Amino acid sequence: MPGPAALVPHADPRLPREWLAHETISLIVPVVRRTDDLTAIHDSFAAAVSTVTRRYEFVFVFDGGFGPPPDALLARSREDCRIRILSFAHAFGETAALQAGIAASRGTILLTVPPYFQVQPQGVRQLLDALRDGAEVAVARRSPRRDGWFNRLQSSAFHVLVRGVSGGCFHDMGCGLRVLRREVAESLQLYGDLHRFIPLLALREGYRVAEIPLAQHPADARPRVYQPGIYVRRLLDIMTVFFLAKFTEKPLRFFGLLGSTLLGTGGLITLALLLQRLEGIGIANRPLLLLGVLLLSLGIQLLGLGLVGEIIVYLRAPHRRGYRVRETT
Amino acid sequence: MERPCGDPSGPELSVVIPMYNEAANVAPLVRSICAALVGRVADFELLLVDDGSSDDTWANIRSVATPSRVRGIRLAQNVGQTAAMMAGFDHARGAVVCSLDGDLQNDPRDIPGVLEKLQEGYDVVCGWRQRRKDGLLLRRVPSWCANRLIAWLTGVPVRDNGCSLKAYRRDLLQHLALYADQHRFIPALAASMGARIAEVPVRHHARLFGKSKYGLSRTVKVLVDLITLKMITAFHARPFVGFCVTALVPLGLAASFGLAWLVALMQFGPAKANALVLPGAALLWVGTAFYILMLGLVAHVALHGERETTQGTRSVRELV
């Protein structure tokens, strides 16, 4: 997979604000667990965005697990029609909150904003500049980082794993500040916990993605230790992305390879035991027999699963296209 | 898409050419196709599909493109030959669509002959490369084996599935949704939809510019894809039947192991007959058969759900 596309300077570099004249920016804030003062978030990002345009709106999405939106924010939204608040009735997670925010927003440019300070809000301008210069997605990267070795260690371990299984060279997918053109956001199919991989998924769809280094906010430097379950989920996410990248169109290439390896090994073991039996050596009390039989049956099961996957992919084929046209003559 | 598919005012023939890093081949290819077709085909268009090339292919396509006759389509990223061909098919306006390799190894002078064959009442006409100019061990031998295997498995006796020079009727293409390297299996997939298929000998040239994007590494992939192909061509409409038939194999094995155990019981008596291996094997195969049946049910549910969604959209379309 190629890295973030090198940005081609725009043919006629317009003034910093002029290109935004016909665009509206929606700032989507998914509030799930960790938050800083949301009114402060609103203040600082509104200040940062209003240096480039006056056409913007905020969409706060409160996940069900978070509880009711804070009163200060509710009061603001009553006074300012550019603030809208959605609340989930149930805990659906950050990806669902983002999706709901995207669906409710009306802007042509979408800015996802973490509900806590990760980078300096002024960095929004640099992300928008990247969009002006031809990128379709621009994501922030916390650099230079201010936090301690533990945070950096777990972050870099995550990214090394992601790079290992699916290529791409993004350095900070945990950073929630991203700018997307609306059509990109709508064409990406996000579910589960895939929001973290937005730059990777967009790159895979052939969009131009830029990664912009922004200074980390001092408030983000606290050491973070998660529950063990969170780490397991991150690992599962990486496996999902790996499978999505390689085998969504060809499940049998994955299950088939795995299944036939197991089937072959099991077959060899049972064959060897059969030969021994024919020579008169008893096999009834051999644990190897159990292993061989187990592998045989596992192999058949995996192959069968792959075939069912292939049927599902085949049935879906008339509805999806495996390409995206960039331009025609 | 500029115009809807199957435009009645469209040209007689659309030639679809997927290109990936073939910058040097663009201009000569367009020239030779035009030379071969002008005067023989009343009205034709060329669709050059740039499959996310990293070289100057798109710049060269733009420079040869004309509003009516030579059209270029640039894909956002490299998606492979099958998806690139689908992009071309989706944008083609002709009543007949002809696909061609982007590397000048097919000879455009063969197109009229292929079209003639199509007029005899076929839905797909495949080129059959004579005196191939590819490496023997890495290209021709694996290709020969693959073709024999495909013919044997699918019962469609096409001798050269890998030749890109093929002609199709549009109405067939509209039902052919290809994905993931299925371009090799077009004849078999088309035949499973009831298409009539013919083959005509065509010329083959050595590569002049650029280099081949094929290698031996795809052999395993082709083998796996063949299993899929067999399954979907034979059973896509009724997967449960397919899984039931497959389940007969482990069921038969279970029966024979069970029978063997009974024989052993009667011969040696319950005290001496081994109570682990034979009944265990019988149970294992019963379990496997049961598992396969259940998978068949899952496949059936998937098919059923899919049919409901497609029928939903279809009725909406009729309302409009």
Side-chain angles (χ1 to χ4, degrees), chain A residues 48-60:
Chain A
V49 172
S50 55
T51 59
V52 287
T53 181
R54 294 176 62 187
R55 295 155 60 96
Y56 66 90
E57 63 166 359
F58 275 84
V59 181
F60 286 88

Side-chain angles (χ1 to χ4, degrees), chain A residues 161-286:
Chain A
L161 280 178
V162 172
R163 205 170 315 157
V165 296
S166 59
C169 41
F170 296 101
H171 301 89
D172 192 2
M173 289 194 279
C175 188
L177 191 66
R178 321 173 185 96
V179 181
L180 303 91
R181 292 212 166 266
R182 174 160 215 106
E183 58 269 22
V184 183
E186 282 176 354
S187 76
L188 295 181
Q189 290 174 344
L190 301 176
Y191 55 85
D193 277 324
L194 285 184
H195 63 273
R196 211 167 268 105
F197 300 97
I198 283 176
L200 206 57
L201 297 174
L203 191 66
R204 215 173 53 103
E205 289 289 311
Y207 292 108
R208 288 176 290 248
V209 185
E211 193 181 52
I212 311 289
L214 298 176
Q216 189 176 20
H217 198 281
D220 191 45
R222 275 168 299 191
R224 281 183 295 277
V225 183
Y226 303 102
Q227 294 163 338
I230 301 285
Y231 293 104
V232 175
R233 273 167 66 175
R234 287 300 91 81
L235 273 179
L236 291 179
D237 287 345
I238 293 174
M239 281 170 63
T240 309
V241 167
F242 169 68
F243 194 82
L244 277 180
K246 294 264 159 72
F247 303 108
T248 20
E249 283 202 324
K250 284 274 132 198
L252 194 60
R253 282 191 190 162
F254 176 77
F255 289 108
L257 203 68
L258 217 59
S260 49
T261 312
L262 294 184
L263 196 66
T265 320
L268 282 180
I269 290 176
T270 40
L271 193 72
L273 288 173
L274 183 70
L275 290 179
Q276 291 188 0
R277 179 72 188 84
L278 292 181
E279 284 170 15
I281 306 168
I283 56 170
N285 52 357
R286 301 275 297 273

Side-chain angles (χ1 to χ4, degrees), chain B:
Chain B
M1 226 175 282
E2 294 153 288
R3 289 216 229 160
C5 291
D7 193 327
S9 67
E12 189 184 329
L13 171 70
S14 296
V15 183
V16 170
I17 307 142
M19 309 190 101
Y20 177 55
N21 290 347
E22 303 278 5
N25 284 323
V26 174
L29 186 71
V30 170
R31 231 178 293 128
S32 63
I33 293 176
C34 288
L37 293 184
V38 168
R40 289 163 181 267
V41 179
D43 187 14
F44 66 91
E45 65 171 0
L46 256 62
L47 283 143
L48 304 171
V49 184
D50 173 19
D51 184 10
S53 299
S54 51
D55 64 356
D56 293 332
T57 304
W58 179 245
N60 294 358
I61 289 177
R62 281 192 80 115
S63 66
V64 298
T66 59
S68 58
R69 183 152 273 182
V70 183
R71 297 198 292 150
I73 301 165
R74 186 190 191 188
L75 303 185
Q77 84 269 46
N78 180 244
V79 290
Q81 198 175 347
T82 303
M85 271 169 74
M86 280 305 284
F89 291 163
D90 289 343
H91 285 75
R93 298 178 293 198
V96 170
V97 179
C98 179
S99 63
L100 206 64
D101 249 348
D103 56 10
L104 282 168
Q105 287 195 268
N106 296 128
D107 194 327
R109 287 175 296 168
D110 289 316
I111 295 178
V114 172
L115 293 181
E116 235 167 68
K117 193 75 183 173
L118 199 74
Q119 299 307 329
E120 289 174 18
Y122 293 99
D123 299 305
V124 181
V125 176
C126 310
W128 174 20
R129 288 170 287 185
Q130 307 289 309
R131 284 191 287 277
R132 274 183 72 176
K133 299 291 189 303
D134 289 318
L136 179 71
L137 212 59
L138 287 181
R139 297 289 306 276
R140 273 151 62 194
V141 170
S143 161
W144 184 85
C145 298
N147 282 318
R148 295 302 295 265
L149 204 57
I150 295 172
W152 174 69
L153 266 177
T154 62
V156 182
V158 170
R159 278 156 295 198
D160 189 2
N161 286 281
C163 180
S164 294
L165 177 52
K166 293 191 177 77
Y168 322 81
R169 281 183 201 288
R170 258 216 81 82
D171 39 357
L172 173 82
L173 282 184
Q174 272 160 357
H175 299 287
L176 208 59
L178 304 174
Y179 60 91
D181 296 347
Q182 279 181 342
H183 59 271
R184 298 191 193 99
F185 307 128
I186 290 175
L189 286 165
S192 78
M193 303 173 119
R196 284 149 301 177
I197 293 161
E199 213 175 8
V200 291
V202 298
R203 281 161 277 207
H204 192 243
H205 301 295
R207 220 171 215 287
L208 291 178
F209 308 105
K211 60 178 201 296
S212 169
K213 281 97 191 170
Y214 288 132
L216 205 59
S217 63
R218 45 194 185 120
T219 317
V220 180
K221 290 182 184 169
V222 172
L223 283 178
V224 173
D225 289 353
L226 262 173
I227 301 175
T228 308
L229 178 77
K230 174 67 187 168
M231 181 189 60
I232 57 185
T233 51
F235 293 117
H236 68 90
R238 36 188 211 300
F240 189 52
V241 176
F243 280 88
C244 282
V245 172
T246 318
L248 287 180
V249 178
L251 217 54
L253 282 169
S256 44
F257 276 113
L259 214 64
W261 187 47
L262 279 182
V263 170
L265 267 185
M266 287 197 286
Q267 214 168 353
F268 307 116
K272 289 197 76 183
N274 190 304
L276 177 71
V277 178
L278 291 178
L283 280 178
L284 172 79
W285 289 119
V286 168
T288 306
F290 187 68
Y291 174 79
I292 292 175
L293 281 182
M294 292 300 109
L295 271 186
L297 277 183
V298 172
H300 183 79
V301 169
L303 175 70
H304 189 70
E306 199 54 44
R307 221 176 249 157
E308 254 170 16
T309 49
T310 45
Q311 273 166 4
T313 53
R314 206 172 291 153
S315 63
V316 169
R317 201 174 294 151
E318 278 160 13
L319 271 176
V320 170

